[in-house]
Amino acid sequence: MKKSWTLTEAKDIFSLPFLDLVYRAQSVHREHFEPNTVQISTLLSIKTGSCPENCSYCAQSAHHKTGLKKEPMVDVNTVIEAAQKAKAAGSSRLCMGAAGRGPNDKDLSRVCDMIREVKKLDLEACVTLGMLDADQVKTLKAAGLDYYNHNIDTSESFYPNVVTTRTFQDRLQTLDLVRQEGIKVCCGGILGLGESNDDRIQMIVTLANFPTPPNSVPINRLVKIPGTPLSDQPEIDPFDFVRTIALARILMPSSHIRLSAGREQMSDELQSLCFLAGANSLFLGEKLLTTQNANPKRDHNLLSRLGLKTGH
Ligand code: SAM
Ligand code: DTB
Ligand code: SF4
């Protein structure tokens, strides 16, 4: 039977001396993955801005004045071009993100066309569209969707500090539907929202205790967006950031842990510590959804200096 983690067990691991923690995470990593390989995904925003949700970190929420230009859903050709470029750059998955509480029928049908085109290019397809109902999940599965991204973002108790237009339970419900339909789950969160280490630990325990842990766990470091309530949020202690990655690796040994948003503002050394702590996936490409990603040249250079290969 799958192990269910308690908060106390997780806190004990998180509080180990830093070197013991990283050593343990790296040991677990080596038992489950080829140690010098990172999986690469590329992001594309397919519908941008004017979102009715009030996520306090997000550039796309209509509740904040971020100056972002609203863009309607892109056409399928834009996706094909982005997918070809991503593949040529060494990416194995295209992740398409749409602003909004959930998709309408017209959007969903176009997203299904996009998924089919991405799959034709022999890339994995991931989408993140907000809340879904059971029929929408079935429609996406039928189109060949590999992964659905839907983050829990933080602990259940801190969640109302971050967004109030939906609940943590709403998030879990969509995730259950996706899992039950046999679509792989990509689910993680953001560090640096003002949460405590206990919130970070609780978030990782929640993910690890899902009926099956997410196949992919994106750990984002807050990208501070001017005009959002979190624009002046103090920086998270980098060692606490690495500790959270290590905990995720230890509690979810077979999941890909993705060092996601926020890499542009990280040193090469901090990113390397994250890899040492078990992160084995990243977003490659000029842009995340609305903000700059780490420069691809810098990324290729870093991977080469560390002797890291790209793969699954
Ligand atoms: N609207 C959909 C949703 O909320 O599920 C999909 C897009 S949303 C932008 C995807 C995820 O990106 C969020 O759940 C959050 O974890 C992450 N994210 C958004 N803005 C961010 C920021 N400024 N810094 C770090 N991560 C961010
Ligand atoms: C995830 O966890 N991070 C990605 C992806 N899933 C969709 C998005 C990061 C967005 C960063 C802020 C921006 O570019 O707007
Ligand atoms: Fe909308 Fe998603 Fe941004 Fe929240 S995170 S405001 S749901 S686009």
Side-chain angles (χ1 to χ4, degrees):
M1 221 185 82
K2 188 176 106 38
K3 174 162 174 53
S4 179
W5 291 91
T6 66
L7 195 59
T8 316
E9 286 172 321
K11 279 187 187 175
D12 287 348
I13 295 173
F14 187 91
S15 316
L16 283 169
F18 185 77
L19 300 185
D20 287 348
L21 174 61
V22 172
Y23 177 75
R24 182 157 162 195
Q26 179 62 207
S27 308
V28 168
H29 187 63
R30 280 165 189 261
E31 282 168 26
H32 293 86
F33 286 98
E34 207 281 295
N36 297 299
T37 301
V38 285
Q39 183 272 332
I40 307 280
S41 295
T42 297
L43 276 168
L44 176 68
S45 185
I46 54 170
K47 186 180 183 193
T48 310
S50 236
C51 183
E53 304 276 34
N54 69 353
C55 309
S56 56
Y57 49 78
C58 188
Q60 309 199 61
S61 167
H63 296 256
H64 324 311
K65 283 204 171 55
T66 63
L68 187 75
K69 207 174 130 243
K70 179 185 175 187
E71 305 274 358
M73 187 164 278
V74 299
D75 59 29
V76 179
N77 283 330
T78 307
V79 171
I80 297 175
E81 273 170 40
Q84 284 165 337
K85 234 181 107 184
K87 190 176 176 180
S91 191
S92 60
R93 189 178 312 154
L94 188 72
C95 304
M96 296 169 273
R101 186 171 166 86
N104 59 32
D105 289 350
K106 196 167 139 254
D107 286 350
L108 194 69
S109 134
R110 197 183 296 178
V111 168
C112 287
D113 290 340
M114 294 172 179
I115 293 168
R116 284 185 279 266
E117 292 300 332
V118 170
K119 302 287 296 171
K120 273 190 214 159
L121 291 167
D122 220 13
L123 279 176
E124 291 174 319
C126 174
V127 297
T128 176
L129 312 169
M131 273 185 239
L132 299 177
D133 64 30
D135 285 341
Q136 292 174 322
V137 174
K138 284 193 171 64
T139 305
L140 288 167
K141 175 72 182 172
L145 184 67
D146 296 293
Y147 286 82
Y148 194 75
N149 167 248
H150 201 62
N151 291 342
I152 58 169
D153 280 339
T154 189
S155 69
E156 182 163 14
S157 57
F158 196 71
Y159 200 73
N161 295 82
V162 178
V163 46
T164 57
T165 49
R166 58 171 184 250
T167 64
F168 199 75
Q169 284 306 320
D170 290 332
R171 284 314 251 191
L172 297 182
Q173 199 182 331
T174 295
L175 287 161
D176 279 341
L177 293 172
V178 168
R179 189 182 312 108
Q180 281 158 18
E181 199 56 41
I183 298 172
K184 294 190 187 109
V185 169
C186 172
C187 181
I190 312 182
L191 307 186
L193 303 168
E195 75 289 346
S196 64
N197 274 336
D198 280 359
D199 289 311
R200 294 168 190 147
I201 297 167
Q202 181 62 68
M203 175 179 86
I204 300 296
V205 167
T206 300
L207 295 170
N209 287 345
F210 279 174
T212 41
N215 305 76
S216 167
V217 180
I219 303 290
N220 298 280
R221 193 175 78 165
L222 177 69
V223 179
K224 292 177 217 169
I225 313 277
T228 63
L230 298 181
S231 59
D232 290 325
Q233 198 58 31
E235 213 63 69
I236 160 175
D237 178 331
F239 296 119
D240 288 340
F241 187 81
V242 178
R243 280 181 182 276
T244 309
I245 298 229
L247 183 68
R249 168 50 66 226
I250 295 165
L251 268 53
M252 295 175 275
S254 305
S255 306
H256 275 88
I257 309 289
R258 180 170 312 111
L259 184 55
S260 303
R263 287 194 307 107
E264 197 203 12
Q265 295 78 15
M266 288 180 203
S267 68
D268 288 353
E269 294 86 341
L270 176 55
Q271 293 188 54
S272 307
L273 264 184
C274 294
F275 296 137
L276 200 58
N280 63 341
S281 167
L282 40 85
F283 286 123
L284 182 73
E286 303 280 343
K287 255 182 114 180
L288 293 165
L289 290 176
T290 68
T291 64
Q292 284 293 111
N293 191 12
N295 181 291
K297 273 199 195 126
R298 175 185 167 203
D299 280 346
H300 283 298
N301 183 253
L302 177 61
L303 296 183
S304 134
R305 282 154 75 210
L306 297 178
L308 284 171
K309 296 188 296 286
T310 60
H312 282 280

